[in-house]
């Protein structure tokens, strides 16, 4: 198996939601960068407000506070 | 006797610190390595390179391999840890590409793979069912024309030209072809 094949296999396994079990055992708190973490990150990034809507929301809030 | 082999102990004479991957890597922790690589990708120059590679239809696996080999060659992470962190890195690049609305391909799908079906397996093993055999049986060929003569017989459509036939039958053409010397010998014999 070449390095490229190993990388492909590793990516495929990670996308299936599997984690390296022995590596997980090394840290008592568990691993931080899990498939669930990336799912949450994706949901936050893709469904979250854009920069323009953020500015608009901030301006609306300011106007409400001023009133 | 000449031996074509390395000198025993020759490896001890070279400096093993020549390459960064000969030394212990800087990062050995999974989370630290992923954190380092994600921060590395988020650098403006690096993310430009990543998006440029995806823009030329490079697979995410190719991008990940390039980044990891770079990290290994710099001695940041070991090659085993590089394989382990490939998944999170690919996922992060995928999310980044989705975020900017860029088309991407992971490159883990094997499109050339032939899907094995029962019929394909039968065909590869040479098993043909009776029904298939009936369906696939070729139509009876039209009977060939029976040969007119024996195997060594001259084909009917080939006939020698008239002058050749005359020559074969002892016509004028044959007499003209006899060399002068032979003709003289023949005349002597006849006399």
């Amino acid at each position: 198996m070449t390095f490229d094949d190993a990388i492909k296999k590793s990516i495929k396994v990670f996308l299936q939601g599997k984690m390296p079990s022995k590596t997980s055992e090394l840290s008592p708190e568990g691993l931080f960068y899990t498939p669930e973490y990336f799912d949450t990150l994706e949901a936050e990034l893709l469904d979250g407000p854009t920069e323009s809507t953020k500015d608009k929301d901030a301006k609306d809030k300011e106007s409400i506070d001023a009133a | 006797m000449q031996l074509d082999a390395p000198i025993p102990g020759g490896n001890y004479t070279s400096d093993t610190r020549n390459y960064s991957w000969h030394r212990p890597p800087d990062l050995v922790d999974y989370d630290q390595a992923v954190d380092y690589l994600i921060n590395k990708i988020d650098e403006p120059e690096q993310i430009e390179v990543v998006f440029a590679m995806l823009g030329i239809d490079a697979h995410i696996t190719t991008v990940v391999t390039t980044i990891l080999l770079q990290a290994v060659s710099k001695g940041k992470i070991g090659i085993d840890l590089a394989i382990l962190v490939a998944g999170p890195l690919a996922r992060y690049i995928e999310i980044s590409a989705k975020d900017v609305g860029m088309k991407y391909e992971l490159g883990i799908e094997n499109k050339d793979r032939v899907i094995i079906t029962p019929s394909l397996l039968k065909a590869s093993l040479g098993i043909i069912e009776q029904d298939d055999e009936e369906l696939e049986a070729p139509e009876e060929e039209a009977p060939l024309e029976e040969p007119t003569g024996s195997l060594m017989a001259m084909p009917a459509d080939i006939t020698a030209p008239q002058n050749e036939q005359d020559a074969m039958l002892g016509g004028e053409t044959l007499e003209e072809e006899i060399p002068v010397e032979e003709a003289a010998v023949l005349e002597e014999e006849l006399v």
Side-chain angles (χ1 to χ4, degrees), chain A residues 3-4 7-8 10 12 14-15 19 23 31-33 38-39 42 45-46, chain B residues 30-31 34-35 65 68-69 83-84 87-88 91 95 98-99 106-108:
Chain A
F3 183 70
D4 290 355
I7 293 292
K8 277 184 189 176
S10 173
K12 200 184 279 186
F14 186 80
L15 293 178
M19 288 289 292
T23 310
L31 298 175
F32 181 72
Y33 291 106
F38 285 103
D39 290 343
E42 185 179 19
L45 274 178
L46 302 180
Chain B
Y30 176 87
D31 283 333
V34 176
D35 197 39
T65 306
L68 290 175
L69 280 177
I83 292 168
L84 287 177
R91 188 80 175 95
I95 293 167
K98 272 184 190 173
D99 193 31
L106 277 170
I108 54 172

PDB file of all heavy atoms in Angstrom, chain A residues 3-4 7-8 10 12 14-15 19 23 31-33 38-39 42 45-46, chain B residues 30-31 34-35 65 68-69 83-84 87-88 91 95 98-99 106-108:
ATOM      1  N   PHE A   3       1.528   5.502   0.157  1.00  0.00           N
ATOM      2  CA  PHE A   3       1.088   6.563   1.083  1.00  0.00           C
ATOM      3  C   PHE A   3      -0.262   7.137   0.631  1.00  0.00           C
ATOM      4  O   PHE A   3      -1.148   7.369   1.453  1.00  0.00           O
ATOM      5  CB  PHE A   3       2.162   7.659   1.127  1.00  0.00           C
ATOM      6  CG  PHE A   3       1.867   8.760   2.095  1.00  0.00           C
ATOM      7  CD1 PHE A   3       1.924   8.539   3.472  1.00  0.00           C
ATOM      8  CD2 PHE A   3       1.530  10.030   1.662  1.00  0.00           C
ATOM      9  CE1 PHE A   3       1.647   9.546   4.370  1.00  0.00           C
ATOM     10  CE2 PHE A   3       1.253  11.048   2.551  1.00  0.00           C
ATOM     11  CZ  PHE A   3       1.317  10.808   3.907  1.00  0.00           C
ATOM     12  N   ASP A   4      -0.411   7.307  -0.676  1.00  0.00           N
ATOM     13  CA  ASP A   4      -1.674   7.844  -1.221  1.00  0.00           C
ATOM     14  C   ASP A   4      -2.853   6.928  -0.878  1.00  0.00           C
ATOM     15  O   ASP A   4      -3.928   7.402  -0.508  1.00  0.00           O
ATOM     16  CB  ASP A   4      -1.574   7.989  -2.743  1.00  0.00           C
ATOM     17  CG  ASP A   4      -0.623   9.091  -3.140  1.00  0.00           C
ATOM     18  OD1 ASP A   4      -0.139   9.780  -2.226  1.00  0.00           O
ATOM     19  OD2 ASP A   4      -0.361   9.249  -4.336  1.00  0.00           O
ATOM     20  N   ILE A   7      -3.749   7.263   2.757  1.00  0.00           N
ATOM     21  CA  ILE A   7      -4.468   8.528   3.015  1.00  0.00           C
ATOM     22  C   ILE A   7      -5.931   8.379   2.596  1.00  0.00           C
ATOM     23  O   ILE A   7      -6.842   8.777   3.338  1.00  0.00           O
ATOM     24  CB  ILE A   7      -3.786   9.686   2.243  1.00  0.00           C
ATOM     25  CG1 ILE A   7      -2.395   9.986   2.800  1.00  0.00           C
ATOM     26  CG2 ILE A   7      -4.658  10.949   2.261  1.00  0.00           C
ATOM     27  CD1 ILE A   7      -2.363  10.570   4.179  1.00  0.00           C
ATOM     28  N   LYS A   8      -6.150   7.796   1.424  1.00  0.00           N
ATOM     29  CA  LYS A   8      -7.531   7.605   0.942  1.00  0.00           C
ATOM     30  C   LYS A   8      -8.329   6.733   1.911  1.00  0.00           C
ATOM     31  O   LYS A   8      -9.478   7.020   2.228  1.00  0.00           O
ATOM     32  CB  LYS A   8      -7.496   6.945  -0.438  1.00  0.00           C
ATOM     33  CG  LYS A   8      -7.276   7.911  -1.571  1.00  0.00           C
ATOM     34  CD  LYS A   8      -7.346   7.193  -2.882  1.00  0.00           C
ATOM     35  CE  LYS A   8      -6.919   8.105  -4.025  1.00  0.00           C
ATOM     36  NZ  LYS A   8      -6.883   7.434  -5.311  1.00  0.00           N
ATOM     37  N   SER A  10      -7.734   6.228   5.089  1.00  0.00           N
ATOM     38  CA  SER A  10      -7.928   6.952   6.346  1.00  0.00           C
ATOM     39  C   SER A  10      -9.095   7.941   6.234  1.00  0.00           C
ATOM     40  O   SER A  10      -9.940   8.028   7.134  1.00  0.00           O
ATOM     41  CB  SER A  10      -6.640   7.694   6.696  1.00  0.00           C
ATOM     42  OG  SER A  10      -6.833   8.529   7.797  1.00  0.00           O
ATOM     43  N   LYS A  12     -11.593   7.814   4.083  1.00  0.00           N
ATOM     44  CA  LYS A  12     -12.837   7.062   3.910  1.00  0.00           C
ATOM     45  C   LYS A  12     -13.365   6.574   5.262  1.00  0.00           C
ATOM     46  O   LYS A  12     -14.556   6.698   5.554  1.00  0.00           O
ATOM     47  CB  LYS A  12     -12.566   5.856   2.993  1.00  0.00           C
ATOM     48  CG  LYS A  12     -13.817   5.293   2.352  1.00  0.00           C
ATOM     49  CD  LYS A  12     -13.521   4.073   1.537  1.00  0.00           C
ATOM     50  CE  LYS A  12     -12.988   4.392   0.169  1.00  0.00           C
ATOM     51  NZ  LYS A  12     -12.839   3.191  -0.682  1.00  0.00           N
ATOM     52  N   PHE A  14     -12.675   7.818   8.230  1.00  0.00           N
ATOM     53  CA  PHE A  14     -13.087   8.959   9.075  1.00  0.00           C
ATOM     54  C   PHE A  14     -14.465   9.464   8.666  1.00  0.00           C
ATOM     55  O   PHE A  14     -15.285   9.795   9.522  1.00  0.00           O
ATOM     56  CB  PHE A  14     -12.054  10.084   8.964  1.00  0.00           C
ATOM     57  CG  PHE A  14     -12.313  11.228   9.895  1.00  0.00           C
ATOM     58  CD1 PHE A  14     -11.947  11.154  11.233  1.00  0.00           C
ATOM     59  CD2 PHE A  14     -12.940  12.381   9.451  1.00  0.00           C
ATOM     60  CE1 PHE A  14     -12.192  12.199  12.099  1.00  0.00           C
ATOM     61  CE2 PHE A  14     -13.194  13.431  10.308  1.00  0.00           C
ATOM     62  CZ  PHE A  14     -12.821  13.343  11.639  1.00  0.00           C
ATOM     63  N   LEU A  15     -14.712   9.508   7.361  1.00  0.00           N
ATOM     64  CA  LEU A  15     -16.013   9.985   6.890  1.00  0.00           C
ATOM     65  C   LEU A  15     -17.143   9.017   7.233  1.00  0.00           C
ATOM     66  O   LEU A  15     -18.313   9.397   7.230  1.00  0.00           O
ATOM     67  CB  LEU A  15     -15.977  10.238   5.379  1.00  0.00           C
ATOM     68  CG  LEU A  15     -15.072  11.394   4.928  1.00  0.00           C
ATOM     69  CD1 LEU A  15     -15.083  11.523   3.424  1.00  0.00           C
ATOM     70  CD2 LEU A  15     -15.479  12.706   5.569  1.00  0.00           C
ATOM     71  N   MET A  19     -13.145   6.378  14.390  1.00  0.00           N
ATOM     72  CA  MET A  19     -11.968   7.065  14.912  1.00  0.00           C
ATOM     73  C   MET A  19     -10.912   6.028  15.281  1.00  0.00           C
ATOM     74  O   MET A  19     -11.247   4.879  15.565  1.00  0.00           O
ATOM     75  CB  MET A  19     -12.347   7.864  16.165  1.00  0.00           C
ATOM     76  CG  MET A  19     -13.167   9.095  15.895  1.00  0.00           C
ATOM     77  SD  MET A  19     -12.216  10.385  15.113  1.00  0.00           S
ATOM     78  CE  MET A  19     -11.088  10.845  16.388  1.00  0.00           C
ATOM     79  N   THR A  23      -5.637   5.397  19.603  1.00  0.00           N
ATOM     80  CA  THR A  23      -5.230   6.796  19.804  1.00  0.00           C
ATOM     81  C   THR A  23      -6.185   7.474  20.784  1.00  0.00           C
ATOM     82  O   THR A  23      -5.764   8.302  21.600  1.00  0.00           O
ATOM     83  CB  THR A  23      -5.240   7.548  18.455  1.00  0.00           C
ATOM     84  OG1 THR A  23      -4.515   6.787  17.505  1.00  0.00           O
ATOM     85  CG2 THR A  23      -4.605   8.908  18.562  1.00  0.00           C
ATOM     86  N   LEU A  31     -10.652  12.469  22.321  1.00  0.00           N
ATOM     87  CA  LEU A  31     -10.142  13.332  21.250  1.00  0.00           C
ATOM     88  C   LEU A  31     -11.100  14.490  20.998  1.00  0.00           C
ATOM     89  O   LEU A  31     -12.320  14.362  21.171  1.00  0.00           O
ATOM     90  CB  LEU A  31      -9.947  12.520  19.967  1.00  0.00           C
ATOM     91  CG  LEU A  31      -8.925  11.388  20.066  1.00  0.00           C
ATOM     92  CD1 LEU A  31      -8.902  10.591  18.776  1.00  0.00           C
ATOM     93  CD2 LEU A  31      -7.533  11.906  20.390  1.00  0.00           C
ATOM     94  N   PHE A  32     -10.521  15.594  20.570  1.00  0.00           N
ATOM     95  CA  PHE A  32     -11.329  16.802  20.332  1.00  0.00           C
ATOM     96  C   PHE A  32     -11.868  16.828  18.900  1.00  0.00           C
ATOM     97  O   PHE A  32     -13.051  17.083  18.680  1.00  0.00           O
ATOM     98  CB  PHE A  32     -10.465  18.037  20.610  1.00  0.00           C
ATOM     99  CG  PHE A  32     -11.189  19.328  20.415  1.00  0.00           C
ATOM    100  CD1 PHE A  32     -12.163  19.733  21.322  1.00  0.00           C
ATOM    101  CD2 PHE A  32     -10.927  20.140  19.320  1.00  0.00           C
ATOM    102  CE1 PHE A  32     -12.849  20.919  21.139  1.00  0.00           C
ATOM    103  CE2 PHE A  32     -11.618  21.332  19.137  1.00  0.00           C
ATOM    104  CZ  PHE A  32     -12.572  21.720  20.052  1.00  0.00           C
ATOM    105  N   TYR A  33     -10.991  16.548  17.938  1.00  0.00           N
ATOM    106  CA  TYR A  33     -11.386  16.637  16.527  1.00  0.00           C
ATOM    107  C   TYR A  33     -12.018  15.317  16.061  1.00  0.00           C
ATOM    108  O   TYR A  33     -11.395  14.493  15.409  1.00  0.00           O
ATOM    109  CB  TYR A  33     -10.182  17.006  15.655  1.00  0.00           C
ATOM    110  CG  TYR A  33      -9.714  18.416  15.900  1.00  0.00           C
ATOM    111  CD1 TYR A  33      -8.546  18.674  16.619  1.00  0.00           C
ATOM    112  CD2 TYR A  33     -10.445  19.494  15.435  1.00  0.00           C
ATOM    113  CE1 TYR A  33      -8.121  19.963  16.843  1.00  0.00           C
ATOM    114  CE2 TYR A  33     -10.029  20.803  15.669  1.00  0.00           C
ATOM    115  CZ  TYR A  33      -8.874  21.024  16.368  1.00  0.00           C
ATOM    116  OH  TYR A  33      -8.468  22.324  16.601  1.00  0.00           O
ATOM    117  N   PHE A  38     -16.734  18.056  13.536  1.00  0.00           N
ATOM    118  CA  PHE A  38     -16.763  18.634  12.190  1.00  0.00           C
ATOM    119  C   PHE A  38     -18.195  18.786  11.671  1.00  0.00           C
ATOM    120  O   PHE A  38     -18.483  19.720  10.919  1.00  0.00           O
ATOM    121  CB  PHE A  38     -15.908  17.797  11.234  1.00  0.00           C
ATOM    122  CG  PHE A  38     -14.438  18.002  11.449  1.00  0.00           C
ATOM    123  CD1 PHE A  38     -13.673  17.065  12.111  1.00  0.00           C
ATOM    124  CD2 PHE A  38     -13.814  19.159  11.008  1.00  0.00           C
ATOM    125  CE1 PHE A  38     -12.322  17.265  12.327  1.00  0.00           C
ATOM    126  CE2 PHE A  38     -12.460  19.372  11.219  1.00  0.00           C
ATOM    127  CZ  PHE A  38     -11.708  18.420  11.881  1.00  0.00           C
ATOM    128  N   ASP A  39     -19.080  17.878  12.103  1.00  0.00           N
ATOM    129  CA  ASP A  39     -20.493  18.024  11.715  1.00  0.00           C
ATOM    130  C   ASP A  39     -21.073  19.305  12.328  1.00  0.00           C
ATOM    131  O   ASP A  39     -21.797  20.057  11.663  1.00  0.00           O
ATOM    132  CB  ASP A  39     -21.301  16.803  12.186  1.00  0.00           C
ATOM    133  CG  ASP A  39     -20.943  15.552  11.394  1.00  0.00           C
ATOM    134  OD1 ASP A  39     -20.347  15.704  10.307  1.00  0.00           O
ATOM    135  OD2 ASP A  39     -21.239  14.440  11.862  1.00  0.00           O
ATOM    136  N   GLU A  42     -19.600  22.317  10.557  1.00  0.00           N
ATOM    137  CA  GLU A  42     -20.224  22.486   9.246  1.00  0.00           C
ATOM    138  C   GLU A  42     -21.601  23.145   9.388  1.00  0.00           C
ATOM    139  O   GLU A  42     -21.935  24.073   8.639  1.00  0.00           O
ATOM    140  CB  GLU A  42     -20.368  21.128   8.563  1.00  0.00           C
ATOM    141  CG  GLU A  42     -20.885  21.213   7.144  1.00  0.00           C
ATOM    142  CD  GLU A  42     -20.996  19.854   6.479  1.00  0.00           C
ATOM    143  OE1 GLU A  42     -21.016  18.829   7.196  1.00  0.00           O
ATOM    144  OE2 GLU A  42     -21.073  19.823   5.247  1.00  0.00           O
ATOM    145  N   LEU A  45     -21.125  26.804  10.313  1.00  0.00           N
ATOM    146  CA  LEU A  45     -20.585  27.639   9.226  1.00  0.00           C
ATOM    147  C   LEU A  45     -21.582  27.830   8.093  1.00  0.00           C
ATOM    148  O   LEU A  45     -21.749  28.926   7.585  1.00  0.00           O
ATOM    149  CB  LEU A  45     -19.309  26.998   8.670  1.00  0.00           C
ATOM    150  CG  LEU A  45     -17.996  27.325   9.374  1.00  0.00           C
ATOM    151  CD1 LEU A  45     -16.855  26.557   8.726  1.00  0.00           C
ATOM    152  CD2 LEU A  45     -17.697  28.818   9.315  1.00  0.00           C
ATOM    153  N   LEU A  46     -22.234  26.747   7.704  1.00  0.00           N
ATOM    154  CA  LEU A  46     -23.089  26.814   6.520  1.00  0.00           C
ATOM    155  C   LEU A  46     -24.476  27.372   6.819  1.00  0.00           C
ATOM    156  O   LEU A  46     -25.089  27.984   5.961  1.00  0.00           O
ATOM    157  CB  LEU A  46     -23.200  25.436   5.866  1.00  0.00           C
ATOM    158  CG  LEU A  46     -21.858  24.823   5.436  1.00  0.00           C
ATOM    159  CD1 LEU A  46     -22.070  23.474   4.800  1.00  0.00           C
ATOM    160  CD2 LEU A  46     -21.117  25.738   4.478  1.00  0.00           C
TER     161      LEU A  46
ATOM    162  N   TYR B  30      -2.421  13.733  18.549  1.00  0.00           N
ATOM    163  CA  TYR B  30      -3.416  13.783  17.466  1.00  0.00           C
ATOM    164  C   TYR B  30      -4.067  15.155  17.365  1.00  0.00           C
ATOM    165  O   TYR B  30      -4.064  15.779  16.296  1.00  0.00           O
ATOM    166  CB  TYR B  30      -4.456  12.689  17.735  1.00  0.00           C
ATOM    167  CG  TYR B  30      -5.617  12.637  16.775  1.00  0.00           C
ATOM    168  CD1 TYR B  30      -5.526  11.902  15.596  1.00  0.00           C
ATOM    169  CD2 TYR B  30      -6.807  13.285  17.064  1.00  0.00           C
ATOM    170  CE1 TYR B  30      -6.604  11.842  14.719  1.00  0.00           C
ATOM    171  CE2 TYR B  30      -7.886  13.224  16.196  1.00  0.00           C
ATOM    172  CZ  TYR B  30      -7.777  12.505  15.026  1.00  0.00           C
ATOM    173  OH  TYR B  30      -8.842  12.439  14.165  1.00  0.00           O
ATOM    174  N   ASP B  31      -4.589  15.635  18.482  1.00  0.00           N
ATOM    175  CA  ASP B  31      -5.307  16.915  18.466  1.00  0.00           C
ATOM    176  C   ASP B  31      -4.382  18.084  18.144  1.00  0.00           C
ATOM    177  O   ASP B  31      -4.762  18.998  17.415  1.00  0.00           O
ATOM    178  CB  ASP B  31      -6.001  17.154  19.817  1.00  0.00           C
ATOM    179  CG  ASP B  31      -7.272  16.331  19.940  1.00  0.00           C
ATOM    180  OD1 ASP B  31      -7.871  16.024  18.891  1.00  0.00           O
ATOM    181  OD2 ASP B  31      -7.649  15.969  21.070  1.00  0.00           O
ATOM    182  N   VAL B  34      -3.721  18.016  14.377  1.00  0.00           N
ATOM    183  CA  VAL B  34      -4.871  18.509  13.600  1.00  0.00           C
ATOM    184  C   VAL B  34      -4.982  20.023  13.762  1.00  0.00           C
ATOM    185  O   VAL B  34      -5.205  20.749  12.780  1.00  0.00           O
ATOM    186  CB  VAL B  34      -6.186  17.812  14.044  1.00  0.00           C
ATOM    187  CG1 VAL B  34      -7.379  18.393  13.309  1.00  0.00           C
ATOM    188  CG2 VAL B  34      -6.112  16.317  13.794  1.00  0.00           C
ATOM    189  N   ASP B  35      -4.789  20.490  14.994  1.00  0.00           N
ATOM    190  CA  ASP B  35      -4.859  21.926  15.263  1.00  0.00           C
ATOM    191  C   ASP B  35      -3.807  22.687  14.461  1.00  0.00           C
ATOM    192  O   ASP B  35      -4.111  23.720  13.839  1.00  0.00           O
ATOM    193  CB  ASP B  35      -4.644  22.150  16.768  1.00  0.00           C
ATOM    194  CG  ASP B  35      -5.111  23.519  17.197  1.00  0.00           C
ATOM    195  OD1 ASP B  35      -6.155  23.961  16.687  1.00  0.00           O
ATOM    196  OD2 ASP B  35      -4.415  24.152  18.007  1.00  0.00           O
ATOM    197  N   THR B  65      -2.829  14.955   0.737  1.00  0.00           N
ATOM    198  CA  THR B  65      -1.544  14.265   0.608  1.00  0.00           C
ATOM    199  C   THR B  65      -0.397  15.267   0.476  1.00  0.00           C
ATOM    200  O   THR B  65       0.649  15.105   1.109  1.00  0.00           O
ATOM    201  CB  THR B  65      -1.568  13.331  -0.627  1.00  0.00           C
ATOM    202  OG1 THR B  65      -2.699  12.476  -0.526  1.00  0.00           O
ATOM    203  CG2 THR B  65      -0.328  12.490  -0.711  1.00  0.00           C
ATOM    204  N   LEU B  68       0.179  16.996   3.885  1.00  0.00           N
ATOM    205  CA  LEU B  68       0.770  16.079   4.876  1.00  0.00           C
ATOM    206  C   LEU B  68       2.221  15.750   4.551  1.00  0.00           C
ATOM    207  O   LEU B  68       3.068  15.687   5.446  1.00  0.00           O
ATOM    208  CB  LEU B  68      -0.065  14.805   4.972  1.00  0.00           C
ATOM    209  CG  LEU B  68      -1.439  14.967   5.619  1.00  0.00           C
ATOM    210  CD1 LEU B  68      -2.216  13.676   5.551  1.00  0.00           C
ATOM    211  CD2 LEU B  68      -1.303  15.424   7.069  1.00  0.00           C
ATOM    212  N   LEU B  69       2.510  15.549   3.268  1.00  0.00           N
ATOM    213  CA  LEU B  69       3.902  15.258   2.889  1.00  0.00           C
ATOM    214  C   LEU B  69       4.808  16.444   3.206  1.00  0.00           C
ATOM    215  O   LEU B  69       5.958  16.266   3.599  1.00  0.00           O
ATOM    216  CB  LEU B  69       3.980  14.907   1.400  1.00  0.00           C
ATOM    217  CG  LEU B  69       3.589  13.477   1.027  1.00  0.00           C
ATOM    218  CD1 LEU B  69       3.639  13.279  -0.469  1.00  0.00           C
ATOM    219  CD2 LEU B  69       4.505  12.460   1.700  1.00  0.00           C
ATOM    220  N   ILE B  83      -1.020   9.868   8.535  1.00  0.00           N
ATOM    221  CA  ILE B  83      -2.115   9.033   8.004  1.00  0.00           C
ATOM    222  C   ILE B  83      -3.353   9.142   8.905  1.00  0.00           C
ATOM    223  O   ILE B  83      -4.482   9.196   8.430  1.00  0.00           O
ATOM    224  CB  ILE B  83      -1.635   7.568   7.867  1.00  0.00           C
ATOM    225  CG1 ILE B  83      -0.581   7.478   6.760  1.00  0.00           C
ATOM    226  CG2 ILE B  83      -2.789   6.628   7.569  1.00  0.00           C
ATOM    227  CD1 ILE B  83       0.170   6.177   6.713  1.00  0.00           C
ATOM    228  N   LEU B  84      -3.122   9.226  10.228  1.00  0.00           N
ATOM    229  CA  LEU B  84      -4.254   9.305  11.165  1.00  0.00           C
ATOM    230  C   LEU B  84      -5.015  10.627  11.041  1.00  0.00           C
ATOM    231  O   LEU B  84      -6.238  10.652  11.182  1.00  0.00           O
ATOM    232  CB  LEU B  84      -3.762   9.141  12.614  1.00  0.00           C
ATOM    233  CG  LEU B  84      -3.339   7.737  13.049  1.00  0.00           C
ATOM    234  CD1 LEU B  84      -2.821   7.770  14.469  1.00  0.00           C
ATOM    235  CD2 LEU B  84      -4.501   6.768  12.935  1.00  0.00           C
ATOM    236  N   GLY B  87      -8.034  12.223   7.765  1.00  0.00           N
ATOM    237  CA  GLY B  87      -9.500  12.326   7.769  1.00  0.00           C
ATOM    238  C   GLY B  87      -9.994  13.692   8.217  1.00  0.00           C
ATOM    239  O   GLY B  87     -10.729  14.377   7.477  1.00  0.00           O
ATOM    240  N   PRO B  88      -9.589  14.144   9.433  1.00  0.00           N
ATOM    241  CA  PRO B  88     -10.022  15.474   9.881  1.00  0.00           C
ATOM    242  C   PRO B  88      -9.616  16.594   8.925  1.00  0.00           C
ATOM    243  O   PRO B  88     -10.386  17.529   8.707  1.00  0.00           O
ATOM    244  CB  PRO B  88      -9.319  15.630  11.239  1.00  0.00           C
ATOM    245  CG  PRO B  88      -9.052  14.259  11.695  1.00  0.00           C
ATOM    246  CD  PRO B  88      -8.878  13.419  10.486  1.00  0.00           C
ATOM    247  N   ARG B  91     -11.873  16.568   5.910  1.00  0.00           N
ATOM    248  CA  ARG B  91     -13.210  17.068   6.311  1.00  0.00           C
ATOM    249  C   ARG B  91     -13.195  18.595   6.432  1.00  0.00           C
ATOM    250  O   ARG B  91     -14.133  19.261   6.029  1.00  0.00           O
ATOM    251  CB  ARG B  91     -13.591  16.420   7.650  1.00  0.00           C
ATOM    252  CG  ARG B  91     -14.996  16.686   8.105  1.00  0.00           C
ATOM    253  CD  ARG B  91     -15.998  15.800   7.425  1.00  0.00           C
ATOM    254  NE  ARG B  91     -17.328  16.014   7.982  1.00  0.00           N
ATOM    255  CZ  ARG B  91     -18.222  16.848   7.450  1.00  0.00           C
ATOM    256  NH1 ARG B  91     -17.945  17.497   6.351  1.00  0.00           N
ATOM    257  NH2 ARG B  91     -19.404  16.999   8.009  1.00  0.00           N
ATOM    258  N   ILE B  95     -15.386  21.254   4.249  1.00  0.00           N
ATOM    259  CA  ILE B  95     -16.262  22.279   4.835  1.00  0.00           C
ATOM    260  C   ILE B  95     -15.887  23.660   4.296  1.00  0.00           C
ATOM    261  O   ILE B  95     -16.765  24.467   3.963  1.00  0.00           O
ATOM    262  CB  ILE B  95     -16.185  22.237   6.385  1.00  0.00           C
ATOM    263  CG1 ILE B  95     -16.799  20.926   6.915  1.00  0.00           C
ATOM    264  CG2 ILE B  95     -16.894  23.423   7.011  1.00  0.00           C
ATOM    265  CD1 ILE B  95     -16.508  20.653   8.367  1.00  0.00           C
ATOM    266  N   LYS B  98     -17.200  24.001   0.809  1.00  0.00           N
ATOM    267  CA  LYS B  98     -18.658  24.195   0.839  1.00  0.00           C
ATOM    268  C   LYS B  98     -18.992  25.623   1.246  1.00  0.00           C
ATOM    269  O   LYS B  98     -19.933  26.226   0.721  1.00  0.00           O
ATOM    270  CB  LYS B  98     -19.282  23.228   1.858  1.00  0.00           C
ATOM    271  CG  LYS B  98     -19.641  21.862   1.297  1.00  0.00           C
ATOM    272  CD  LYS B  98     -20.342  21.054   2.369  1.00  0.00           C
ATOM    273  CE  LYS B  98     -20.503  19.618   1.954  1.00  0.00           C
ATOM    274  NZ  LYS B  98     -21.032  18.793   3.064  1.00  0.00           N
ATOM    275  N   ASP B  99     -18.215  26.145   2.192  1.00  0.00           N
ATOM    276  CA  ASP B  99     -18.465  27.478   2.719  1.00  0.00           C
ATOM    277  C   ASP B  99     -18.335  28.550   1.649  1.00  0.00           C
ATOM    278  O   ASP B  99     -19.107  29.516   1.635  1.00  0.00           O
ATOM    279  CB  ASP B  99     -17.488  27.750   3.871  1.00  0.00           C
ATOM    280  CG  ASP B  99     -17.874  28.973   4.663  1.00  0.00           C
ATOM    281  OD1 ASP B  99     -19.096  29.245   4.750  1.00  0.00           O
ATOM    282  OD2 ASP B  99     -16.991  29.650   5.201  1.00  0.00           O
ATOM    283  N   LEU B 106     -13.998  14.454  -3.552  1.00  0.00           N
ATOM    284  CA  LEU B 106     -13.164  13.872  -2.498  1.00  0.00           C
ATOM    285  C   LEU B 106     -12.058  12.978  -3.064  1.00  0.00           C
ATOM    286  O   LEU B 106     -10.942  12.989  -2.580  1.00  0.00           O
ATOM    287  CB  LEU B 106     -14.037  13.072  -1.537  1.00  0.00           C
ATOM    288  CG  LEU B 106     -14.747  13.872  -0.448  1.00  0.00           C
ATOM    289  CD1 LEU B 106     -15.758  13.004   0.256  1.00  0.00           C
ATOM    290  CD2 LEU B 106     -13.754  14.432   0.549  1.00  0.00           C
ATOM    291  N   GLY B 107     -12.411  12.203  -4.072  1.00  0.00           N
ATOM    292  CA  GLY B 107     -11.401  11.331  -4.678  1.00  0.00           C
ATOM    293  C   GLY B 107     -11.253   9.988  -3.998  1.00  0.00           C
ATOM    294  O   GLY B 107     -10.274   9.279  -4.222  1.00  0.00           O
ATOM    295  N   ILE B 108     -12.234   9.641  -3.156  1.00  0.00           N
ATOM    296  CA  ILE B 108     -12.169   8.329  -2.501  1.00  0.00           C
ATOM    297  C   ILE B 108     -13.093   7.333  -3.176  1.00  0.00           C
ATOM    298  O   ILE B 108     -13.056   6.146  -2.873  1.00  0.00           O
ATOM    299  CB  ILE B 108     -12.502   8.410  -0.993  1.00  0.00           C
ATOM    300  CG1 ILE B 108     -13.858   9.089  -0.772  1.00  0.00           C
ATOM    301  CG2 ILE B 108     -11.418   9.107  -0.224  1.00  0.00           C
ATOM    302  CD1 ILE B 108     -14.352   9.028   0.654  1.00  0.00           C
TER     303      ILE B 108
END
